[in-house]
Amino acid sequence: NLTYSDRYTNLADDYSTSSLRYWLNDDFFSAAFSSEDIGSMMKADVVTDSKTTNDYVYILSAEETANPDYGFDADTSARDTARRSDSTDYAISQGLTVQAYGTNWFTRSTGNMSFEHGAVTGVSHSGNLNANFSVSACTLGIRPVIKINPEMLEKPYVCPDCGEKFYGEDAVNEHIASEASLKVKIKI
């Protein structure tokens, strides 16, 4: 079963050196993604407790799980349905505990400092944040995050007149309208 950290020292809750981070960017990364998938991914600068790592795969911080721009409730004590997580059969077979509203899951943020061997903040099954998850807990879920290069999501529209590349229907339509406007102005 996977834990946040397999070390029980004062650094056990340090995401940058955690066994979870290593697993995400080694074992999980190699098993979950094809070479085509990897070609579409971007590394992210991941800041945790003033330390920065550069990873293809990571987990959200406690702050990110309270970011309305990501669709979450800013109130960390709210039972936010957007923060609730279902589980997969595979995760259950690996020891994940399923509770009333889903599963508890790790964030990469440090938790309650009074824990002797480290604690991290996680999201409870009901959708609120909890700073009391032990780094040795092996029954919590993991919600991996990746960044996709937006240029890899769709084929660009290449304007036959100017050769510029455009992504997204709105950008294409705006450019076509602009080009049509220019042609009308030139004819007059």
Side-chain angles (χ1 to χ4, degrees):
N1 296 348
L2 188 64
T3 61
Y4 188 90
S5 181
D6 54 12
R7 297 176 313 161
Y8 303 107
T9 68
N10 61 343
L11 297 176
D13 56 6
D14 181 351
Y15 180 74
S16 68
T17 61
S18 69
S19 52
L20 174 57
R21 178 177 170 259
Y22 176 80
W23 177 82
L24 283 168
N25 285 281
D26 189 59
D27 299 343
F28 176 76
F29 182 75
S30 300
F33 303 107
S34 69
S35 57
E36 184 179 336
D37 294 333
I38 294 167
S40 299
M41 295 166 66
M42 297 170 52
K43 279 194 163 186
D45 287 333
V46 180
V47 179
T48 309
D49 300 327
S50 76
K51 294 182 181 177
T52 302
T53 58
N54 190 254
D55 298 324
Y56 278 112
V57 186
Y58 58 100
I59 57 177
L60 295 174
S61 68
E63 293 78 19
E64 290 165 334
T65 66
N67 186 337
D69 291 340
Y70 296 163
F72 298 119
D73 191 321
D75 179 359
T76 60
S77 64
R79 294 176 165 227
D80 185 5
T81 57
R83 283 192 287 256
R84 291 182 186 167
S85 178
D86 289 327
S87 57
T88 63
D89 291 339
Y90 176 77
I92 294 168
S93 77
Q94 297 301 303
L96 179 68
T97 300
V98 179
Q99 297 184 17
Y101 298 108
T103 60
N104 299 326
W105 51 279
F106 285 119
T107 73
R108 65 178 191 271
S109 300
T110 302
N112 186 335
M113 300 303 265
S114 66
F115 275 45
E116 183 179 348
H117 295 297
V120 293
T121 299
V123 177
S124 77
H125 66 99
S126 60
N128 61 300
L129 269 66
N130 180 335
N132 294 315
F133 288 112
S134 169
V135 296
S136 62
C138 59
T139 59
L140 274 72
I142 299 161
R143 297 183 77 182
V145 177
I146 59 172
K147 281 188 140 181
I148 302 293
N149 181 343
E151 293 182 1
M152 303 302 287
L153 292 176
E154 59 183 283
K155 299 286 185 221
Y157 164 77
V158 179
C159 177
D161 294 328
C162 69
E164 282 190 68
K165 292 181 182 179
F166 296 90
Y167 296 89
E169 187 176 344
D170 291 341
V172 169
N173 290 335
E174 185 176 313
H175 180 70
I176 291 170
S178 173
E179 287 288 310
S181 172
L182 286 174
K183 287 179 183 176
V184 169
K185 288 178 184 175
I186 292 170
K187 289 181 182 179
I188 294 178

